[in-house]
Amino acid sequence: RRAKSHRRSTNRHLAATPSKPGMAMAATAPIRCDGKVTWMAFEPESYEHQLQEKTSAMRSRFGAVLAGVEVQIFPSMPAHFRQRARFAMCRFDGVLKFALFDKDAPRVAVDRFPVASREINELMPRLLAAVASSEALSTGLEACHFLGTQTGDMLVSLIYGEPMHSDWRAAAEAMRAELSLPALLGRAKGTRVVLDRDSVDETYALHDGRRLTYRQVEGSFSNPSAAMCEKTLDWLCESARLIAAERARRGGGAAPAQSLLLELYSGNGNHTVALATHFSHVLAVEIDRRLCAAAEHNLASNGVRNATVLAADSGRFCRSLLRKLDRGAKEAAAGRTAAPPDAELGGREEPTQPAAEAAAPSANPTTRWLEEARGRTDVILVDPPRCGLDADTLRLVSYFDHVLYISCNPEALLDNLQRGGLLQTHAVVRSAIFDHFAYTPHLECAVLLRRRTLCE
């Protein structure tokens, strides 16, 4: 799997960076200057109707999969809900403008973008005027990215299709001072100039009273809608509490040891930080080393000490862990006795002599977690790219008693549940829809799956 920064292709219209040098000098006909694009129907007065149509279509598509399951729906704010916006920079009749991609070309000029935050909209005309009046800043400019926060932090990135002007830094520092920009950077092939920093710090307020801070790095994935992210984190934390309650019920009311959590595609630790308090240990796996560094920072800044970030390719990690779990299952089958199954393993017996017991505990936290995981497959969280989970990852997921699955593509989720075989071993017990992509056909959804033997 590639990094989280590449997973949301539904946002490519907003990540409007022309691919060819010089594209910024002229827009591709036909040109629209009314801000209307074919992939988004921004009509706040009809937002509730649009959301109802999307959610009804998803319920119909999933059919019996969600029969008897309450589906919580979390609507977006009708306007100014995105803290991140990306535009191409094009000349329309010789005038430099922000532009949106439509039908694979930057055809639509915009002066404002009402789905973006008020701070971004307020900054857009002032930034455009400053850039357009500066030869050093406008020459070769192909794109402009805004990365903001709920607390007012802001990073502007100027992307160039040719080498940056020799006076770029001086002009950029002057503009940053004039506009009171917290952070500014410029990028061209082989060049990256950072003024102050290449990240912003966001704060999320959860229903349980916690205020969590996150470093979000330019060029890497971060959730574009902070309010929707807070709702997702609250839903995940409530799901973790329900998992703990279910394990206590199976244990006859006695409080069991906290579960272990394996998280795949963990990004900058967005979910890891919020969920760690509900688990004894979390292993978060992410391939992008910049996101791993951000995750380490976010864990430390929020005082999380029971989570480990592993910089690794998810596919390779899954195959490695699968070999361990498969070997453990074979050993368990060979050494099975009449003793009752271990309730903590969801009805599956441990190997007669697990490797974790045969050897001294490892000092390496990742290795130690893997040693424990050979006999403990409590909870797994996956938040994959739009294509969903591959065959190896699906087989690994099937080992776990409880599965939290966040999906930016409901069709891929449905395919993983049905053709991928997850519904053969697990049942959906909780579901939610998050409208991250208001005014577009896209939805983000989440399900909590429980092993069927534990639902009896």
Side-chain angles (χ1 to χ4, degrees):
R1 299 291 188 197
R2 295 308 302 160
K4 292 287 242 186
S5 55
H6 301 294
R7 68 183 284 267
R8 307 232 185 231
S9 62
T10 55
N11 285 339
R12 68 188 181 87
H13 305 288
L14 302 181
T17 306
S19 59
K20 297 180 181 179
M23 185 181 289
M25 301 308 295
T28 303
I31 296 171
R32 297 178 62 93
C33 294
D34 56 7
K36 293 182 179 179
V37 290
T38 59
W39 48 267
M40 182 175 68
F42 180 71
E43 298 169 355
E45 65 279 1
S46 68
Y47 170 69
E48 290 185 5
H49 176 69
Q50 290 187 42
L51 177 60
Q52 183 179 18
E53 284 192 329
K54 288 198 295 185
T55 55
S56 296
M58 179 182 156
R59 287 175 184 267
S60 176
R61 185 74 180 87
F62 274 63
V65 172
L66 297 178
V69 178
E70 179 187 2
V71 180
Q72 294 178 275
I73 299 174
F74 296 93
S76 170
M77 294 186 295
H80 304 303
F81 51 84
R82 289 184 65 100
Q83 277 66 48
R84 191 183 72 206
R86 301 177 179 182
F87 304 95
M89 300 300 294
C90 299
R91 293 194 180 275
F92 293 79
D93 296 327
V95 179
L96 189 65
K97 293 276 190 178
F98 294 109
L100 293 174
F101 266 47
D102 200 28
K103 298 180 180 178
D104 297 319
R107 304 171 189 269
V108 182
V110 293
D111 296 315
R112 63 189 183 91
F113 193 49
V115 299
S117 68
R118 287 183 172 83
E119 290 79 8
I120 290 176
N121 277 273
E122 188 275 334
L123 179 58
M124 285 174 67
R126 297 192 299 126
L127 181 77
L128 182 62
V131 169
S133 65
S134 169
E135 179 183 356
L137 297 177
S138 62
T139 300
L141 181 63
E142 291 193 341
C144 178
H145 299 176
F146 296 86
L147 179 58
T149 69
Q150 297 180 112
T151 54
D153 201 2
M154 181 73 71
L155 168 65
V156 174
S157 303
L158 301 178
I159 318 300
Y160 294 85
E162 58 186 66
M164 295 161 65
H165 196 283
S166 58
D167 295 329
W168 188 90
R169 178 182 284 275
E173 287 177 339
M175 181 180 72
R176 180 176 171 237
E178 175 189 350
L179 302 181
S180 300
L181 287 175
L184 175 67
L185 68 81
R187 280 199 281 121
K189 185 176 181 180
T191 305
R192 189 166 180 266
V193 180
V194 178
L195 302 185
D196 189 68
R197 52 195 160 87
D198 65 351
S199 63
V200 296
D201 291 326
E202 179 63 284
T203 299
Y204 295 141
L206 303 191
H207 282 167
D208 60 15
R210 288 183 293 162
R211 292 180 62 83
L212 305 177
T213 60
Y214 290 86
R215 175 158 295 174
Q216 298 177 343
V217 181
E218 185 270 344
S220 295
F221 177 79
S222 60
N223 201 303
S225 173
M228 198 58 61
C229 182
E230 289 174 335
K231 294 175 182 178
T232 304
L233 294 178
D234 282 330
W235 187 89
L236 286 171
C237 288
E238 178 60 22
S239 296
R241 286 189 285 269
L242 292 175
I243 290 170
E246 168 61 18
R247 296 181 70 239
R249 184 189 66 80
R250 288 190 289 115
Q258 277 190 303
S259 303
L260 297 167
L261 172 65
L262 172 63
E263 180 183 1
L264 304 180
Y265 317 101
S266 56
N268 69 352
N270 188 53
H271 300 147
T272 322
V273 170
L275 285 171
T277 189
H278 298 284
F279 296 91
S280 60
H281 191 201
V282 182
L283 178 63
V285 182
E286 169 59 47
I287 190 174
D288 186 335
R289 291 188 178 275
R290 292 184 71 208
L291 285 172
C292 288
E296 293 280 11
H297 172 89
N298 293 335
L299 291 168
S301 64
N302 289 282
V304 177
R305 295 181 175 82
N306 64 324
T308 302
V309 179
L310 176 63
D313 176 87
S314 177
R316 291 182 180 179
F317 172 84
C318 288
R319 289 189 291 273
S320 175
L321 184 52
L322 265 174
R323 287 193 293 271
K324 293 177 180 290
L325 292 172
D326 287 344
R327 186 166 60 248
K330 290 177 181 178
E331 291 175 357
R336 183 171 290 128
T337 67
D342 187 337
E344 289 300 317
L345 298 178
R348 295 181 307 284
E349 296 174 314
E350 292 184 82
T352 306
Q353 292 183 328
E357 294 179 3
S362 170
N364 182 290
T366 300
T367 304
R368 187 166 65 251
W369 192 96
L370 290 173
E371 289 169 350
E372 292 182 69
R374 187 178 180 188
R376 295 276 300 278
T377 48
D378 298 332
V379 187
I380 188 168
L381 167 62
V382 292
D383 186 2
R386 282 186 57 78
C387 57
L389 301 175
D390 60 29
D392 285 336
T393 308
L394 276 169
R395 197 159 69 83
L396 173 65
V397 166
S398 70
Y399 266 102
F400 285 75
D401 291 339
H402 305 275
V403 181
L404 288 162
Y405 192 136
I406 305 290
S407 173
C408 59
N409 181 3
E411 285 295 326
L413 169 61
L414 183 61
D415 183 75
N416 283 169
L417 293 174
Q418 293 180 326
R419 293 204 310 158
L422 270 181
L423 287 181
Q424 296 177 17
T425 55
H426 291 71
V428 178
V429 296
R430 195 164 191 249
S431 180
I433 293 173
F434 304 94
D435 195 15
H436 284 268
F437 313 110
Y439 307 110
T440 78
H442 304 287
L443 284 171
E444 180 143 326
C445 57
V447 292
L448 169 60
L449 298 124
R450 183 179 299 153
R451 185 172 298 284
R452 289 190 178 274
T453 56
L454 302 181
C455 297
E456 299 170 353

